Amino acid sequence: KVDYRKHKKGKKTFLGTGRVPANNQGLVTALYNQDNNGENRAKPGVDKFTDLDVFTRQAIFQLPQDYVVFAGQRDDGFYADIQSIFDLDFSFSGPNKPFDSQGGFNVHTIAFNIPVHELGDSDVVGVWATTSRQRKTILRTHKEDKSFGKWVQVGRQGNPLFNEALVFLADKDLYNRTSPEVDKHLFKTYALNPQLAAVLGLDSTDREDIAGIFIPDLIRVDVTTGPARLAGTVDDKDFSRLSVFGDDTLINANGDTVAGGFPNGRRFGDDVVDIALLALVGGALPLEDAKAAVDDGVQQNDISFNKVFPYAATPHNGRNHAHH
């Protein structure tokens, strides 16, 4: 079972204070970059805490209850040809292919390292995120825009691509206004009868296997396994970007074999688009044929990940690195 836990309205919990590092701006933040030279590109991932760049290392803070936190700029670790996916072009062909739609982008990241015992007493825990904004905004010409009124949820994110690729347009806003408790009643049909599978010419009815991944739409992880394998400059032995489809598996407390990555959690390095497409293909094709049929050609992130907290890759040097 997944335990839905929401914060109490109006209740705040103070976790602690820390320092946010500078963005990677090149010459003035040279230590982010290769050879500590602000003219060079960002440093690759590392295996040891002491090898992290000084900006990252000094922005990692220990909080009460053994929490560890980092907040700051990181490379966008999501890699995929989203342009082709949203155009329903599963040939992934064209003059600019393979194309990483997120290549060259940085994002602002909050990373938490949380002890497993803090996540409750369930064998499987689930996480999702929401975005809210105030109900009204006054647009002003010569002053900063002013927002006021009740905070309203306008976005929700669980598994990658569920709302974006499977939920029909008519219900996307409804999905973004709701929470996972209603998914079984409102959105399960989109997982059971995925239009994307029909586009691929595959079985698109009664897909309980797909519903098992996406309903309710949470990133779920079995917390009774050993540590997951990690991606880095040199990946862990037996790590696969395709998770279970690459024979990267773990054994849980019941002795069951579960995926080593997405959809059992989501690791940096997981090729979530290819994994989701392979799940849609199901048993329609032999695995190796399926891998060739739905491969978007983007098989790694543009910067290697760290194998130590905060795991996310070094932010790109804004002085010399354009979006791909």
Side-chain angles (χ1 to χ4, degrees), residues 152-189:
V152 179
Q153 180 179 312
V154 296
R156 170 157 69 106
Q157 183 69 57
N159 286 287
L161 298 181
F162 175 63
N163 187 36
E164 296 88 341
L166 296 186
V167 175
F168 281 13
L169 183 63
D171 277 340
K172 290 186 187 296
D173 285 345
L174 177 62
Y175 170 93
N176 280 319
R177 294 195 301 266
T178 54
S179 59
E181 292 97 328
V182 303
D183 287 348
K184 181 177 179 180
H185 304 290
L186 295 181
F187 307 114
K188 186 175 181 179
T189 184

Side-chain angles (χ1 to χ4, degrees), residues 110-151:
I110 300 175
F112 279 101
N113 192 356
I114 301 173
V116 171
H117 65 77
E118 284 286 299
L119 299 178
D121 55 7
S122 297
D123 290 346
V124 177
V125 297
V127 178
W128 79 100
T130 61
T131 301
S132 299
R133 67 183 182 190
Q134 289 181 278
R135 186 177 295 276
K136 298 179 181 180
T137 300
I138 298 175
L139 305 179
R140 302 193 288 188
T141 303
H142 301 297
K143 295 181 180 180
E144 184 178 352
D145 296 344
K146 182 178 181 180
S147 297
F148 59 96
K150 180 182 177 182
W151 288 88

